[in-house]
Amino acid sequence: MSDASLDFRDRSRLFDALDGARFDVLIIGGGVTGAGVARDAAMRGFSVALVEARDFASGTSSRSSKMIHGGLRYLPQGDIALVREAASERKIVEAIAPHLARQTPFVMPARNQAAIARLQAGLWAFEKLGGVPKDRRHQVWSPAEVADREPAIDRSDLAGAVVYPEYLTEDARLTLANVRSARAAGAVVVSYARVEEILLEDGRAAGARIVEAPELGDRQARVFAKLVVNAAGPWVDALRVLEAGGAQSRLRLTKGIHLVVDRARLPVNRTVIMNAADRRGVFAVPKGEFTYIGTTDTFYEGADYWPRIEPADVGYLLAACAARFSTTPLTAQDVVSAWAGVRPLVAEEGKAASDISRRDEIWTGPAGVLSIAGGKLTAYRKMAERIVDMAEAALGRKHVKSKTATTPLVGGDVDVAAAEAALRTDGLSDLAAQRLVALYGSEAGSVTQAGGGPAVEARQAVLHEGALMLEDYWVRRSGRAWFDHNGGLDALTPAADEMAALLGWPAAETARQIEACRRIHHDTLASLTASPIATEA
Ligand SMILES: Cc1cc2nc3c(=O)[nH]c(=O)nc-3n(C[C@H](O)[C@H](O)[C@H](O)COP(=O)(O)OP(=O)(O)OC[C@H]3O[C@@H](n4cnc5c(N)ncnc54)[C@H](O)[C@@H]3O)c2cc1C
């Protein structure tokens, strides 16, 4: 294996080297799907290029609810294959990157015995289908146990709760671990490189013209490949139009938002599932000193980089919390940060947003481009395996068995409990140790040995994790934009100064980078407090 570090300080050379280069496979999109495909293809011996228009994971793959689901929610839809796949993929993520699949109890309070019986019936079926071992099966808590363990839950009409284990992840870090593992297996990976044209030879896709992001320069490159894979998430249809002008839209986008509050304002000890006004399940997840609440599922037109958070979205989630918890109702003023993402779902006419299947689909376009959409973060690896199997067939190569299920991801060769204990011995608090191991896995020590904090993390982000903008560090490498005191704003200057020293930014550029991050924070919060429903809730 070669080096897994992504140090893009000489990125212009890397970009130039793409021009005229020939690969077996060119992957468009550095979300979890494209990153997973790049890793598998490179590990099976393909020469691979992965190009991403912005930062890795800057699309949907950093906007999820951060759950590695066992697939329980697909059970009512009768999608047994999806349940099985989700359950087995969950185990695989835990094996190859235990820090990115942390088991945590999900608590489903119920108002009567019939509801408990219904939940249990679903869980028995799920546990059987998913091969859930005995020690991980669900339990039922009495009202007294709920009161003792989750005192914020409203006790009126409470018959008890059904509790089962699920897994939480760091979505952007999972994506990044795949990008770096792809790099380690020999893939060429370049961010801030947008595909603007599919190059055709005799009507067949033969590569793409790539344009550098304007913040970084005005280079262009023509990259050639025997097979082009379109893993552009919500932008898959836009790429299909580049392949064939009149391509019909195949995606239906739905938006989901998340709100972050101080944990003291919504003090949950485990993830609590509650019903929103329309009976959809929504959740409150404890994360360090914060609790995040999500999510919505509404049709959305346009694949915006920062999808709009509407007053109605905020009101919907806060009302669900007010109905489930006995704490003083939250208002929009309690929200310290928020994010929204769009799900690239495969269109199904006549279905409500939350009823559209989360299945993935792969289409071969008229010029031979493989386009992939739908799916979940949870099952990204299996989806990638299927695409690489198809790539082998398309290129007439002998089948090589995928090894992605048994090879640790970068940072994944870690014993989480031991790594956290080691950091606590070095003087870190429980929460700080948990945060660092969750983000960095086996590489956490290299951050703490250098003293920790935003400047050290930003340095790690530039030298090893492909960060080129302050936002790359602040939102996706560190999660500070959403889970830090004062909205993460205090981290901006030390991180920017460190990045400026490494990347050679003049003072005006450093100031511009800080301002861009501040704007993300302030614009998001401004959209929430404009909410009449939320402030009344
Ligand atoms: C609100 C919400 C909650 C979710 N929660 C969960 C969850 O808890 N668990 C779960 O398993 N799944 C969840 N999902 C689903 C999951 O996040 C997505 O299925 C997954 O992230 C999709 O990844 P992707 O790589 O296909 O798309 P993306 O992550 O969007 O990646 C596509 C990439 O392509 C790039 N791109 C676009 N156009 C071009 C171009 N022309 N040239 C180069 N690059 C380009 C984009 O910049 C982007 O980075 C959730 C989704 C949402 C929206």
Side-chain angles (χ1 to χ4, degrees), residues 69-136:
H69 292 284
L72 181 62
R73 73 179 289 273
Y74 312 125
L75 210 54
Q77 298 169 354
D79 205 334
I80 304 300
L82 202 56
V83 178
R84 280 223 171 89
E85 181 172 293
S88 75
E89 283 304 305
R90 185 173 79 161
K91 282 189 221 147
I92 290 172
V93 180
E94 189 187 17
I96 63 175
H99 63 302
L100 293 170
R102 285 161 301 130
Q103 196 190 317
T104 134
F106 276 34
V107 179
M108 296 192 284
R111 294 202 193 279
N112 51 52
Q113 290 302 333
I116 293 187
R118 228 181 9 257
L119 291 169
Q120 278 199 287
L123 274 158
W124 276 319
F126 165 70
E127 286 161 355
K128 203 167 161 26
L129 284 170
V132 175
K134 272 211 171 81
D135 60 340
R136 293 190 179 187

Side-chain angles (χ1 to χ4, degrees), residues 276-290:
D278 59 357
R279 313 293 305 156
R280 272 189 65 247
V282 297
F283 49 79
V285 184
K287 187 170 165 68
E289 293 173 68
F290 301 91

Side-chain angles (χ1 to χ4, degrees), residues 28-34 51-69 193-196 231-235 239 242 254-258 295-296 341-344 374-379 383:
I28 305 168
V32 76
T33 307
V51 292
E52 160 55 49
R54 297 176 183 252
D55 183 24
F56 304 113
S58 59
T60 309
S61 298
S62 56
R63 320 294 181 87
S64 80
S65 304
K66 308 182 188 300
M67 293 171 182
I68 300 290
H69 292 284
R194 176 185 305 278
V195 168
E196 294 211 338
W235 297 272
L239 265 297
L242 290 186
T254 78
K255 183 185 68 170
I257 74 150
H258 300 83
T295 180
T296 55
V342 281
R343 304 174 182 85
K376 302 284 291 171
L377 201 75
T378 303
M383 194 157 94

Side-chain angles (χ1 to χ4, degrees), residues 238-253:
L239 265 297
R240 291 178 53 248
V241 169
L242 290 186
E243 179 191 7
Q248 293 273 314
S249 149
R250 300 290 290 268
L251 292 190
R252 192 79 204 264
L253 305 182

Side-chain angles (χ1 to χ4, degrees), residues 157-223:
D157 287 346
L158 189 70
V162 178
V163 183
Y164 71 104
E166 271 284 11
Y167 292 71
L168 293 174
T169 191
E170 297 285 347
D171 47 8
R173 302 286 313 188
L174 176 64
T175 305
L176 190 64
N178 273 278
V179 173
R180 291 181 59 196
S181 298
R183 164 82 191 85
V188 173
V189 297
V190 186
S191 57
Y192 292 96
R194 176 185 305 278
V195 168
E196 294 211 338
E197 184 185 345
I198 301 288
L199 302 174
L200 300 176
E201 279 171 11
D202 301 326
R204 305 295 298 165
R209 182 171 57 83
I210 291 152
V211 177
E212 187 167 44
E215 302 94 303
L216 291 170
D218 57 3
R219 291 182 171 75
Q220 298 211 8
R222 289 157 65 88
V223 188

Side-chain angles (χ1 to χ4, degrees), residues 257-514:
I257 74 150
H258 300 83
L259 307 174
V260 183
V261 297
D262 272 330
R263 182 122 160 230
R265 277 301 279 115
L266 191 59
V268 289
N269 301 314
R270 304 157 184 83
T271 296
V272 175
I273 313 280
M274 51 207 156
N275 280 328
D278 59 357
R279 313 293 305 156
R280 272 189 65 247
V282 297
F283 49 79
V285 184
K287 187 170 165 68
E289 293 173 68
F290 301 91
T291 299
Y292 66 95
I293 304 157
T295 180
T296 55
D297 201 350
T298 50
F299 288 122
Y300 192 74
E301 298 298 328
D304 300 334
Y305 182 49
W306 294 112
R308 289 180 313 276
I309 296 181
E310 300 291 348
D313 301 330
V314 179
Y316 173 89
L317 291 180
L318 296 189
C321 291
R324 175 42 73 204
F325 295 101
S326 54
T327 40
T328 315
L330 297 165
T331 71
Q333 280 73 24
D334 290 308
V335 176
V336 296
S337 58
W339 74 90
V342 281
R343 304 174 182 85
L345 304 181
V346 181
E348 290 182 89
E349 276 315 309
K351 283 206 173 170
S354 52
D355 292 336
I356 295 184
S357 165
R358 269 51 181 167
R359 267 185 176 288
D360 57 281
E361 268 189 41
I362 306 165
W363 311 292
T364 305
V369 174
L370 284 190
S371 289
I372 171 127
K376 302 284 291 171
L377 201 75
T378 303
Y380 82 93
R381 194 209 60 83
K382 191 71 197 172
M383 194 157 94
E385 190 178 311
R386 280 196 287 272
I387 297 170
V388 180
D389 286 350
M390 287 178 75
E392 283 178 334
L395 298 184
R397 284 172 70 124
K398 198 166 151 280
H399 177 58
V400 175
K401 196 171 173 318
S402 170
K403 294 199 187 73
T404 55
T406 48
T407 312
L409 285 166
V410 170
D413 47 345
V414 63
D415 174 337
V416 170
E420 287 179 3
L423 296 187
R424 285 196 299 269
T425 310
D426 290 347
L428 265 69
S429 69
D430 282 2
L431 287 183
Q434 270 168 25
R435 172 181 176 269
L436 285 174
V437 173
L439 293 177
Y440 297 99
S442 60
E443 295 180 337
S446 56
V447 176
T448 50
Q449 275 151 26
V456 170
E457 292 170 9
R459 186 176 182 81
Q460 177 88 358
V462 170
L463 297 184
H464 303 288
E465 300 175 346
L468 286 167
M469 306 285 168
L470 183 57
E471 182 198 309
D472 303 348
Y473 160 70
W474 189 61
V475 177
R476 289 169 291 275
R477 306 296 182 285
S478 70
R480 287 187 186 272
W482 295 328
F483 302 103
D484 200 1
H485 296 287
N486 192 25
L489 298 178
D490 301 345
L492 289 175
T493 300
D497 287 347
E498 186 69 24
M499 291 184 75
L502 292 167
L503 293 164
W505 293 339
E509 177 59 12
T510 311
R512 194 191 67 77
Q513 296 273 345
I514 293 174

